[in-house]
Amino acid sequence: MTSELSKTFDPSSIEQRWYNHWEDNGLFRPERPDAQPFTIVNPPPNVTGSLHIGHALDNTLQDIVIRYERLRGKDALWVVGIDHAGIATQMVVERQMEEKQDKRTNYSREEFVQKVWDWKAESGGTITGQLRRLGCSMDWSREQFTMDEHFSKAVLKTFVDFYNDGLIYRDKRLVNWDPKLKTAISDLEVETQDIKGQFWHFKYPLADGVTLADGRDYIEVATTRPETMLADMAVAVHPTDERYASVVGKEVVLPITGRRVKIVEDEHADPELGSGAVKITPGHDFNDFEVGKRAGIAAGDMLNMLDSEANVCQTADGLVPDEYLGLHRFKRDGTDGARELVVKQLKELGLLIPHITKTKKGEELELDSEPRTIATPFGDRGGVVIEPWLTDQWYVDAEKLAARPMEAVRNGDIEIIPQSWEKTFFHWMENIQPWCISRQLWWGHRIPAWFGPKVSGDKISYDFSGQIGCETFVGIDEQDVSLQAEKIYSKVGFNQVAVFDSYEDLITSGILAKGHEKTVALWRDEDVLDTWFSSGLWPFATLGWPDENAPLYQKHYPNDLLISGFDILFFWDARMAMQGMKLTDQAPWKRLYLHGLVRAADGSKMSKSKGNVVDPLGLIDQYGADALRFFMAAMESQGRDIKMDDERVKGYRNFATKLWNATRFCQSNGIGGSTTLEAPAATSAVNRWIIGEVAETLAKLDAAMADLRFDAAANIIYHFTWDTFCDWYIELVKGNFDDETKAVAGWVLDQILVMLHPFMPFVTEELWNAQADRANYPLITAKWPEFSASVDADAKAEVEWLIGLTSAVRGAKNELGVPPGQKLEAYCPAPSALAADAIARNSAAIERLARITTIHTSEAPDGAAMQIGAGSDTLIIPLEGLVDIDAEKARLNKALEASAKEAKSLEGRLSNANFVERAKPDAVEKAKADFAHHSAEVERITAALARLG
RNA sequence: GGGCGUAUAGCUCAGUGGUAGAGCACUACAUUGACAUUGUAGGGGUCGGGAGUUCAACUCUCUCUACGCCCA
């Protein structure tokens, strides 16, 4: 029994209902213990996130694959969860506090972290509801969070194991410091932008009366960051630069600070650039850091002149004048900073070399500096200029971890799709830098490292200023580290270990006071881990790792596929591969599919600041989730960004409506759901033909899905449904719904619903259930088409002959201005066997579609007529009184010209001996056939023209 | 500076070593019969420029131009 469908298709009335039904009945992951596994993990969206159009694309593609594999009977698992997103989340909560004139530091760490959890409970994870609206069939029953206890344990274990393997180490070096968020960030989180800046030229006076060969008593240096001169530690010149050869090893006296610094040789100084001499600030510039090290300055001795907010602080040698202390590094909010003051003072000292330029009028103009475009680093979250800052941080030796993923891609264990991304992947992996994983935040996975006093001889000494000089203990908990500590400190007479959660806790405890002489105190590292360090474990920690016997891990790891945007190839994908291969000894997924960005209609990047963001939920409201999903699939060719196009989404909404109405029509003719996977027995050509078409469509669809060609897959099912099924099959069988046809039509419609389901889950499920009572056999867990029938060549030829005839008649009538509804008779004096059969068996269809009442097998009467071709047959349709002969002549002449041109070109090719000898045999065969066809066409049309006079 | 990618119908995009396709838009016609969220038919492209390889290039190679992205 079918259930009646409403006259118009309203997506919003069915989506919620079906989604709840699927989820409530556990249909996203039915029990299939013996089935072959298929696994995808969803890139965990940020807990602060809401669904944007990029998520819509990424998740639609994943859902298509998961629904497809589920229909194919696999134990399809789509892991879903949320990322705690350290920086982003802390920012959200801090911003909310700011609105209430409150701030993080008004609270203890524990209190603040609790507030973040409260916020998460209240408004975190909005996106999970939005993914449901898109129809995504994840396994929500196992939804995870990267701060869940089991996941946190995996993160801890990873850190401890990596540390013990020497893959994680602590180092003092320059980091990318975000002075707004007051945390280190990794080099991937830095975005370089070209901004307008200035280039200043200074004189650094030579010390001790030394002069250059040309007599000058100073060295000229240039900089885009004058303020850093307060921490200059050298001037570098190129070893081959003869201008400075005589002063290498001598000193300059820095203006303002009066610091004496050496002139050193270093390849970094480019003789071609400016004066050829460069100032060296090892504590505040990545290049200078390396120069400084080469010049023998240890990282610990490098001068630092900025605090965590990039305000000037006193350097270790105490030479920064008081008036600078507390100034911001440069002008901010209209207030001059250290940069402006340095320039002003140097100018007053006569040590600023002006930049001479000319105005438009040709007058000479003296400027303090030369205008320049400067590549400037910005933090991707905080949005302020990044400060290279000398700190102790935790690093992952990424270079060691990179080898195996590269090998996996080379040997095919990991397939990157599209392949063009391989080069980018290799380029990054080959040049990979140490990965800074510590973050100065409160929200995140706390680093499991504790520091203790340094042991020297039989004494211990506490140093709270930095940690590099401390004893370091890394372990899974306090007990673990205190055992480690006991071993070290018991040797020098300390048999008690007290462990503190922070340096402050240690101090407030009073443990260092008298009375605790035998107790040694440890304090925990305050920092948390980079969020990506934890999300790198996602493909396996979500499945139970590190318990390698966990059933899910056993069955579903490695994952089959990962789908992500190319923008997180380095951030996430590469790190999953690095961590995964080290920890599990296997590539985390077999295939890595990278898709592009969804852009605004004009091709620009969507961004909140531009205000051109398209809300996927708005599109769902307007056109339905199915239409949006189909759009995403149809536009996803491998390797190209997708431009948003509402009209196209609308077009796919229309497609859903078309299917809806076709189903309605079927129902009104007593066509219901099929009861067999196997195609019904069919005798009529039309029915045999459509079954064969389903077989062909299925094969093409499976091939497209195997290659992850989402666009091809979507187009195949679209055209089969609309063109083949609706426009031809239904039209051909209309008015002739015998039992066989009803059975076949019902079966074909079911195959469409199944094949379309991964793309348009809602409307297909609705129609599936409307077609029959299928409460126990919902479409989401139905079976993918599986039948033995294949293409029937005779039926195909016959139906294609009918279609050819119909199209030809319609086209000719249209061109000649004959009303489409006009019924006519035709003459086919010498029909081919195919034509004779087709005519005999399909007279009703021919009359209805081609509007030809009778096809006589006698000679056509003289007089005005139009001539059309169907297959290799010619039909003459008298049009006495209906048409103007000149119009028919013009139409025929046009066709003649086209065929003659084609025939001539083919003839030329066939008479070329080189072609006949060297071309592939089928190419020659095809050319011959085409030539025969066009020659015949020429003859036919010529005859017709002759008949018309 | 290095790397990658893209240039195909008015627009958005597929595509194959054998002379080009889709959707939308456009034009004409149709229409109370599943569907105007429709049907039928049609117009429209020297496949960015140039050179080369080949019997044959939109497709392969080189080069130029334009645009985009990533890295330094």
Side-chain angles (χ1 to χ4, degrees), chain A residues 812-813 816 818-819 822-825 827 861-867 876-885 888 891 948:
Chain A
K813 275 181 168 173
L816 296 177
V818 178
Q822 179 82 45
K823 292 199 176 181
L824 300 166
E825 294 190 1
Y827 292 82
D862 289 341
M866 68 180 185
Q867 176 181 303
I876 295 150
I877 300 169
L879 287 168
E880 205 67 66
L882 272 174
V883 74
D884 129 38
I885 294 185
E888 172 65 353
R891 187 184 76 88
L948 288 171

Side-chain angles (χ1 to χ4, degrees), chain A residues 170 172 391-392 451-452 462-471 523:
Chain A
R170 196 156 172 84
K172 182 187 281 294
T391 52
D392 297 345
F451 302 108
Y462 286 88
D463 176 4
F464 301 118
S465 63
Q467 290 88 32
I468 294 287
C470 301
E471 294 295 339
W523 66 100

